[in-house]
Amino acid sequence: MNMPLQPFEFVARYVLFSRWVRNEGTIRPDAFMPADDGDTSVQRHINQTEDQIWARGAAVATQRALTLHGRADVQVAAIIAQELYVDPNEPPENHANIRGWPAQVEKSLKKAKAQQIADASTWRAR
Amino acid sequence: MLVEWTATAMLSFGSVSSTAGASEAAEAVQRSGSEVREHIGTANISGLDRQTLLADLAALASETAIAGWDGYNASPVQRATFLQVRSFIDALPLHIASPTLAADPDGDITLEWYTDTAHVLSISISSRGEMNYAARVGLKRVWGSEPFIDEVPAMLIQMMQDCNPVLLAP
């Protein structure tokens, strides 16, 4: 459906790389950094149950033969506050991308933004 | 090593004082020993553990060797990046706390010094030796880029200490 995201919505960043979670259960900024294609892939919570959100993460993990360690939930408003935006990008259902990152030559600014998004996120272990 | 010895000596001193009687001086020393023990519970007292860090770097290499290691579109971490990080670790002074290692989806290796979300420094190192960093020290946020050419800039070393201080650093 690719409905535009609202600031009050939450999105989840599935964590399949255990080093992105600190021992105390907080998220490193690395988890929210974009890949070379300039996007950070996330899953919208809207219209989903808790079980459906986890099921989607588990499907990604199975597809990639990796372990789903958990997810970092963050409100879209925290992403907008960093002058980034979240674009709906289906399929799969409820998939979206964090976009608008600075150019690669300004990687340190990307890190600063990712650090603030990570600080605003909540870790949920699988 | 000196730092570890000093911490051990202070702990021993505290426990000796616990049997020393009820004088005010002895009680003060005992209190001091307890405070040191409490602080040691949360502080880094050993400085840079290079061998453990290099072993962890080798483990990171195997975890990030294949594209998509993060479950998304991550680029594999290149051998040149590991060599840069190894040189960077070799250039760190021993009184710095060991960072924790991870990687960015673009294939850079990240080193993080962390006490809490108000005291955190993250440095990404690329295959070309670029250091991109972002830190929060108290209310101050700092970010920037530096080339790594054999030496770690003093400004970054200061931030490492600010973000994850080693107890009784020289």
Side-chain angles (χ1 to χ4, degrees):
Chain A
M1 292 232 300
N2 282 329
M3 279 189 315
L5 281 86
Q6 301 297 319
F8 59 80
E9 274 188 53
F10 278 83
V11 293
R13 173 76 167 163
Y14 296 120
V15 175
L16 294 89
F17 185 57
S18 62
R19 291 176 185 264
W20 282 350
V21 187
R22 300 187 185 104
N23 289 340
E24 62 168 30
T26 54
I27 300 293
R28 287 170 72 118
D30 322 16
F32 283 97
M33 289 291 283
D36 282 335
D37 61 8
D39 291 341
T40 302
S41 178
V42 291
Q43 183 75 9
R44 300 171 73 171
H45 284 200
I46 196 161
N47 295 330
Q48 300 281 294
T49 65
E50 182 77 6
D51 285 349
Q52 285 173 318
I53 295 169
W54 281 122
R56 179 63 204 147
V60 173
T62 302
Q63 193 178 10
R64 302 296 179 105
L66 293 169
T67 302
L68 175 63
H69 299 286
R71 65 179 208 245
D73 289 343
V74 66
Q75 199 166 25
V76 171
I79 297 165
I80 294 171
Q82 297 309 311
E83 298 177 336
L84 303 172
Y85 59 96
V86 191
D87 244 0
N89 184 36
E90 297 182 354
E93 185 184 3
N94 267 25
H95 180 259
N97 286 318
I98 303 176
R99 289 183 166 152
W101 294 95
Q104 184 65 10
V105 291
E106 292 185 283
K107 179 164 180 181
S108 61
L109 181 55
K110 284 187 200 177
K111 286 178 70 72
K113 290 175 184 283
Q115 203 168 56
Q116 299 211 58
I117 296 170
D119 286 356
S121 73
T122 303
W123 167 243
R124 301 201 189 283
R126 179 73 166 119
Chain B
M1 190 60 74
L2 174 64
V3 171
E4 287 174 321
W5 179 87
T6 308
T8 305
M10 289 185 74
L11 281 174
S12 303
F13 187 55
S15 60
V16 167
S17 72
S18 69
T19 59
S23 75
E24 283 184 21
E27 285 178 10
V29 169
Q30 186 173 356
R31 275 199 305 276
S32 170
S34 300
E35 285 164 12
V36 168
R37 273 192 295 276
E38 280 174 22
H39 190 50
I40 283 173
T42 57
N44 187 317
I45 59 168
S46 57
L48 189 73
D49 183 348
R50 186 174 170 279
Q51 290 308 317
T52 303
L53 204 49
L54 291 178
D56 197 35
L57 183 62
L60 178 66
S62 64
E63 294 166 23
T64 57
I66 298 169
W69 49 263
D70 64 345
Y72 299 98
N73 299 322
S75 301
V77 178
Q78 297 174 15
R79 178 174 162 74
T81 311
F82 287 101
L83 295 176
Q84 292 283 359
V85 173
R86 190 186 166 103
S87 299
F88 180 88
I89 291 169
D90 286 343
L92 287 172
L94 295 178
H95 68 277
I96 294 296
S98 287
T100 53
L101 304 177
D104 282 333
D106 65 3
D108 287 358
I109 292 176
T110 60
L111 301 91
E112 185 178 78
W113 285 262
Y114 176 88
T115 298
D116 52 43
T117 54
H119 298 86
V120 56
L121 166 66
S122 174
I123 302 176
S124 295
I125 298 182
S126 75
S127 59
R128 296 186 301 275
E130 298 153 335
M131 297 182 293
N132 287 288
Y133 61 89
R136 181 171 174 188
V137 186
L139 296 176
K140 197 166 84 173
R141 287 192 178 274
V142 187
W143 61 90
S145 300
E146 295 280 342
F148 172 63
I149 308 168
D150 298 333
E151 285 187 8
V152 181
M155 169 267 302
L156 283 179
I157 289 173
Q158 184 60 54
M159 275 199 277
M160 292 167 195
Q161 289 178 297
D162 290 344
C163 291
N164 191 0
V166 174
L167 185 66
L168 305 176

